[in-house]
Amino acid sequence: MDRVSSFDEPLKKLLGGATAKVMAEHLDLHTVGDLLHHYPRRYEERGKLTALADLPLDEHVTVVAQVADARILMFNNGRGKRLEVTLTDGSGRLQLVFFGHGVHKPHKELLPGRQAMFAGKASVFNRKMQLAHPTYQLLDASDADEATEAVDAFAGRLLPIYPACKQLDSWRIAKAVDAVLPSARDAVDPLPASLREGRGFTPLPEALLKVHRPQTKADVEDARARLKWDEAFVLQVALARRRYADTQLPAVARRPVADGLLDAFDAKLPFTLTEGQEKVSKEIFDDLATEHPMHRLLQGEVGSGKTMVALRAMLTVVDAGGQAAMLAPTEVLAQQHHRSITEMMGELAEGGMLGGSDRGTKVVLLTGSMGMAARRQALLDLVTGEAGIVIGTHALIEDKVQFHDLGLVVVDEQHRFGVEQRDALRSKGKQPPHLLVMTATPIPRTVAMTVFGDLETSVLDQLPAGRSPIASHVVPAKDKPHFLSRAWERVREEVGNGHQAYVVCPRIGDDAEEAEGKGGKKAKAKKQAADEDPEKRPPLAVLEIADELRKGALAGLSVEVLHGRMHPDAKDDVMRRFAAGDVDVLVATTVIEVGVNVPNATAMVIMDADRFGVSQLHQLRGRVGRGSAPGLCLLVSEAHEASPARARLSAVAATLDGFELSRIDLEQRREGDVLGQAQSGVRSSLRMLTVIDDEEVIAAAREEAVAVVAADPGLEHLPELRTVLAALLDKDREEYLDKG
């Protein structure tokens, strides 16, 4: 068998169709190589019991524990049977529950004193942690062949516990790994020999054997160190090659011009720039002055003045004879940027118009919903070069849009844009334009090195003077309903003081299936399930909450809605009236998350806050406290007090430091995909590496990768590294690393 092909072998050849199908559908494992890179999450020692006290809620868990007692209970006047088994491990107790016909086998096997491995989803019932209908495997001597086998296999050895799913337990995955383990010797080693020897790493085949079947804890450490390094290094080589390729592209240098638009703009600024803004502007101006394209990521907290920095960069490019385009993720945001930029520039934004400055330029807006005449004029202004600055949505990328000389592209809220879009806009320049990517989502340094590794990074971490603090509190609506009533009173108080408020909901509502009278049975079943378990109810919706508030807690106030399905004109109308102070309370989806700027809005109530991510909550909260009055953010949740969801909300309430929160967010999603599974559409290459803990590994791998690529950009002398890169970076992922 040749060296690569055994890794490419489909699993169904070795494991049979049924197991392979479950692995593909539920664990995204398709080949022998995939399974060999599906590493154990942790290891149990025989005879050492897991801490039951530390079980995570709502996760599929595997525990090794001892049966303390087991009893059958009758219910429904003797018609129903329930087996309750109590497990113990010295740290805590855990209840197992089996119902109906499923009680006979466990009742015979799970006798007090027996030890076994149990797998299931941990939930809380009657304030007790339990596993309902877990699968289990006995680990002590008994008649069952399987149990004897298990004892033999695991005697005196570390027990690997694999990331599993309901359909496939950890120990079944372990058996499947046994079947493919001989292929580990065919692993292609991506590390250059000098690097491997220089750092004293275990050879890759040995590392794979040690990670799956360690004899000792030292084996595990050894294997992990090697596998982490591989992941970090291969990824950093991909990014280093991307950066190298970018430095080979030509670009027009855009240098500042004395007495141009920028000087005129700076002269009329009513405030001085912060130190951070000055420093970051200098980094950008230095990049713009070079003859290969700038690729810079500008991250800054909500309200740290990123738009000001971006605008000064755009004015520099216009001064140097080019045009600048700003790409925003939504029409609401594009319109808002257009409004704030024209206001900031004043007569400088009216070049060629009556009353405009002779040094000015035209600033045009281009969105999909514009009227034909306005659109035609905007397109004309772009192609003639009359408009130095254009602000728009995806509409900017359409084939019809032609620029006179596109010199700079500013992308706002990068995570909303795909790669193809960035490339399409880039191709509109005579030569590749300079690129500035802005995000208000703080990104820890390691993630920036991994995810945005092809971009140089600038950080704005000072808030401009005059921004107010925001107080945040969790409102436990289920345990303490009077807290929710108090929340609405607080909103009334803010409005009474001349301010405004947002109420954010996860859903719009009025879905076809939920519309009254449709899908009757389905809707009834859903409602019943929701009554029994609040976790199962659909998230709260804008239209329903707005209706309730108008009739109840906020009756008499002006309450309007804003969501993504509204006609753009209607959206703009609501936003304008809210900005003008004519609307007291805006009930909205996360369309307000990015960039909406109403300094008079001081309060925000986020319904079902546990349904949002940490970074998203931080973004939303940044919409209040933008003026001189302090902000208030109330996180309403029905989540159980001991749940991870509530812990997440408490973390958000406890700090306003976005970088600290992004670390917490990362720690909580560590099983997730750092490269943003949802965005890339490609599975993560990071299995062993956690970007939050392995900063040194990533930094060292980046250094080595840069040296390797500088010496051999085409990796001509490193065929193994090329092979592994090709497997990791199929076309999609290579493009994805171009940061979508």
Side-chain angles (χ1 to χ4, degrees), residues 628-651:
S628 49
L632 171 69
C633 179
L634 301 174
L635 307 165
V636 179
S637 166
E638 290 190 3
H640 189 278
E641 200 169 349
S643 66
R646 272 287 280 281
R648 225 172 42 229
L649 295 183
S650 303

Side-chain angles (χ1 to χ4, degrees), residues 8-83:
D8 293 336
E9 194 82 57
L11 284 171
K12 63 168 174 272
K13 265 195 174 176
L14 286 153
L15 305 179
T19 306
K21 187 168 185 244
V22 172
M23 286 195 167
E25 284 176 8
H26 297 281
L27 297 169
D28 200 11
L29 305 174
H30 306 272
T31 64
V32 167
D34 289 345
L35 183 52
L36 285 173
H37 288 300
H38 187 71
Y39 308 129
R41 180 177 288 183
R42 57 191 171 85
Y43 303 85
E44 289 294 353
E45 291 176 72
R46 288 269 306 126
K48 176 173 176 280
L49 303 178
T50 331
L52 293 179
D54 303 336
L55 282 189
L57 255 186
D58 289 332
E59 272 188 36
H60 198 82
V61 296
T62 303
V63 296
V64 177
Q66 199 162 24
V67 177
D69 70 69
R71 57 184 183 280
I72 283 194
L73 305 171
M74 300 294 193
F75 58 95
N76 253 359
N77 294 331
R79 288 198 297 278
K81 260 187 199 174
R82 180 167 85 236
L83 171 65

Side-chain angles (χ1 to χ4, degrees), residues 397-604:
I397 300 164
E398 289 171 12
D399 292 343
K400 291 194 281 291
V401 182
Q402 297 299 322
F403 290 84
H404 177 64
D405 180 12
L406 181 60
L408 169 67
V409 174
V410 179
V411 179
D412 191 19
E413 287 308 328
Q414 168 65 16
H415 61 286
R416 304 298 180 94
F417 278 98
V419 181
E420 304 75 29
Q421 293 154 326
R422 198 169 97 177
D423 281 347
L425 197 52
R426 208 188 245 177
S427 66
K428 292 190 179 290
K430 293 184 176 126
Q431 286 188 318
H434 298 281
L435 177 72
L436 179 65
V437 166
M438 301 198 296
T439 177
T441 310
I443 304 161
R445 177 172 163 257
T446 37
V447 182
M449 276 198 292
T450 329
V451 180
F452 291 92
D454 62 328
L455 300 169
E456 300 300 326
T457 306
S458 295
V459 178
L460 273 178
D461 47 15
Q462 294 167 287
L463 287 188
R467 289 298 301 262
S468 306
I470 305 170
S472 308
H473 305 283
V474 179
V475 178
K478 199 164 190 264
D479 312 341
K480 300 178 175 162
H482 59 285
F483 276 37
L484 184 57
S485 314
R486 176 72 190 118
W488 299 127
E489 278 170 32
R490 283 291 290 113
V491 170
R492 275 189 172 283
E493 286 163 18
E494 289 298 313
V495 172
N497 292 333
H499 298 302
Q500 292 158 280
Y502 297 100
V503 177
V504 182
C505 304
R507 207 167 51 96
I508 297 172
D510 188 23
D511 306 354
E513 191 193 305
E514 288 155 23
E516 222 173 320
K518 293 186 186 172
K521 268 188 192 164
K522 227 182 206 174
K524 242 185 215 162
K526 262 191 175 172
K527 186 179 181 322
Q528 200 174 335
D531 290 344
E532 288 163 21
D533 179 0
E535 297 291 305
K536 294 214 174 74
R537 70 165 169 75
L540 294 171
V542 166
L543 300 175
E544 291 149 24
I545 293 290
D547 212 34
E548 280 173 29
L549 291 175
R550 285 187 192 114
K551 292 174 185 160
L554 302 183
L557 300 186
S558 137
V559 177
E560 294 272 0
V561 300
L562 180 71
H563 58 75
R565 284 211 302 259
M566 288 163 64
H567 187 278
D569 291 350
K571 263 192 266 191
D572 200 38
D573 176 54
V574 171
M575 262 330 294
R576 269 177 206 280
R577 287 189 294 116
F578 187 64
D582 302 338
V583 173
D584 298 325
V585 179
L586 188 63
V587 184
T589 54
T590 53
V591 290
I592 63 152
E593 173 189 353
V594 189
V596 170
N597 184 19
V598 180
N600 191 44
T602 52
M604 175 177 284

Side-chain angles (χ1 to χ4, degrees), residues 7 36-37 39 181 184 187 204-212 227:
F7 261 48
L36 285 173
H37 288 300
Y39 308 129
L181 212 47
L204 184 56
E206 194 184 317
L208 287 168
L209 287 170
K210 280 181 170 177
V211 80
H212 288 293
L227 296 167

